[in-house]
Structure formats: structure tokens, C-alpha cells
Amino acid sequence: MKFFLDTANVDEIKRINELGLVDGVTTNPTIISKEGRDFEEVIKEICSIVDGPVSAEVISLEAEGMVKEARVLAKWASNVVVKVPMTEEGLKAVNILSKEGIKTNVTLIFTVAQGLMAAKAGATFVSPFLGRLEDIGTDSLALIKKLRKVLDFYGYKSEIIAASVRGLKHVEDVAEVGAHITTIPGSLFPKLWSHPLTNSGIEQFLSDWESFKNK
Ligand code: G3P
């Protein structure tokens, strides 16, 4: 399974990348705004740290503007992926961009139909949002499971990025139902490799070793 980091914080990216766990990065305007840095500068820096795809989102709401922005973003680095919202205009833009060989990530997907439309338009990645669906009481895992089944059934190459991931259970659950990728906030990553029993076990081993040595 591939792990992306859902952050634009370069310190977080560098730290987790050193563990060999980062296959890519996703950002959105909210995530970029949190860093208080220039958009182009931060995306270029992330692209130089991580080899895999780095999503940078367009701001325009019309296809023409999205395509124009996308062509600029795609020139920033060879691993830039253009993030486009799941709208009629977004699909139009994705269709144009896919024919130009520009990779896209269609974001804010909440239904199987939306995922299917994005895949058919030529999206490289489709991003269903788990946490936000659960906020309105909808089963997000069923969405991932069904979308994977449908994409496989028809042979679409688009990969599912499970996004809006809020906890360890989300990561474990989407791995089980077949998301190709999970994008994980930097603050959540340490919870994936830690357990209180691991820590207490280490303490116990070390204290037993000290007692044995001092006998
Ligand atoms: O990848 C999308 C993600 O950043 C949105 O997460 O927690 O704001 O719903 P959240």
C-alpha cells in the first residue's frame, strides 16, 4: 500500500521521508495556507524532497482557468500532480489535461458515481473524503470498497487516494478494503508506528538488563 503525506510542512515531510514511508504528498489551499509560505516555493521544495507525486490544487472554478493554472503547476516539477475539484468544470479540465499528459487528482469525492466520472474523464487519482463523509453520518468505507470494485471491474487505471483521514482506524480500514493510497496528516503518522505496550516493553527489557548487569 502507498502512503502519501497530507501536509505542506517540509520538516514533517523530511522526517517521515527518512523512514522510507512517503510515496507522495497531497496539499490543498487550506494546508498550504497553514505554512504561510509562497505556494510555488513550497511546492517546488516538497517536489525536491519526495520522488513521488505531489498534489497542488487549482483555484479557478472554470475549466479554462483550471487548465491554464494546471499547465503552470505542471512546469514547476516533473512530479507535480494537479488537484482539481469534482465538478462539471473540473471534469472538463481533467479531460483536457489527461490528453496533454498532465497528471490529475480529482478531489472532494463523496459518491461512487463521482469517482467513476473522474476515472472516466482521465483522472490519475481520485480522492474520496472519509472524515467529512462520516461527519454527516455516511459510511465512508463502503464508498472506498465499492469504488475499488467498480474501477477494477471496468479496468480503469485511476488510483484511489483515501483522503480526509482522521485516525489510525481509518488507515487500517482503508488498507483492508483496497484503497491504493492513503494520505495521512503528519500528526497522525507517529500513531501508526507506536503502541504503549511497545514502549513499556522496551522499558521493561532495559530495566531487567540493568538489574542483571549490576548483580
Ligand atoms: O486530503 C484532504 C484532507 O486534507 C481533508 O481533510 O480533515 O480537512 O477533512 P479534512
Side-chain angles (χ1 to χ4, degrees):
M1 181 174 203
K2 285 182 270 188
F3 290 151
F4 286 4
L5 254 172
D6 201 21
T7 182
N9 185 291
V10 292
D11 292 333
E12 258 175 359
I13 295 169
K14 279 182 190 157
R15 186 166 64 93
I16 300 168
N17 196 36
E18 276 178 13
L19 308 180
L21 298 177
V22 182
D23 299 301
V25 170
T26 49
T27 68
N28 60 35
T30 306
I31 288 173
I32 295 287
S33 70
K34 281 184 189 151
E35 298 309 306
R37 295 182 56 192
D38 179 70
F39 182 35
E40 180 173 351
E41 180 193 280
V42 75
I43 291 294
K44 283 183 173 171
E45 189 174 351
I46 296 169
C47 287
S48 73
I49 301 167
V50 175
D51 293 331
V54 174
S55 289
E57 191 159 343
V58 296
I59 300 301
S60 304
L61 295 177
E62 290 79 36
E64 197 186 330
M66 290 180 192
V67 169
K68 222 169 165 183
E69 279 184 64
R71 288 178 183 143
V72 173
L73 295 175
K75 285 201 181 93
W76 288 355
S78 59
N79 51 340
V80 163
V81 169
V82 179
K83 216 174 186 188
V84 172
M86 176 61 221
T87 59
E88 183 177 349
E89 291 294 306
L91 291 176
K92 200 172 170 182
V94 167
N95 182 36
I96 296 167
L97 294 170
S98 71
K99 287 175 181 147
E100 291 182 14
I102 294 177
K103 291 186 173 157
T104 53
N105 172 3
V106 177
T107 188
L108 292 162
I109 286 182
F110 295 96
T111 65
V112 175
Q114 287 182 315
L116 190 52
M117 296 300 101
K120 190 163 176 64
T124 318
F125 301 102
V126 294
S127 290
F129 274 39
L130 275 78
R132 292 191 196 192
L133 254 189
E134 285 168 19
D135 291 344
I136 59 159
T138 305
D139 183 356
S140 61
L141 280 185
L143 167 60
I144 305 273
K145 200 175 180 176
K146 286 182 190 169
L147 185 54
R148 176 68 199 251
K149 194 174 165 192
V150 169
L151 295 184
D152 286 353
F153 188 79
Y154 290 103
Y156 288 110
K157 295 278 177 280
S158 314
E159 289 186 282
I160 299 171
I161 305 179
S164 186
V165 162
R166 307 260 175 89
L168 168 64
K169 193 167 180 324
H170 271 160
V171 179
E172 293 180 345
D173 286 348
V174 298
E176 202 181 328
V177 297
H180 300 90
I181 302 152
T182 313
T183 191
I184 302 167
S187 55
L188 176 59
F189 244 111
K191 295 191 181 125
L192 304 183
W193 62 67
S194 335
H195 195 280
L197 289 177
T198 307
N199 299 339
S200 59
I202 292 169
E203 268 173 42
Q204 175 83 57
F205 291 153
L206 289 180
S207 113
D208 290 346
W209 186 248
E210 283 306 312
S211 316
F212 164 70
K213 270 202 325 193
N214 296 330
K215 261 187 194 163

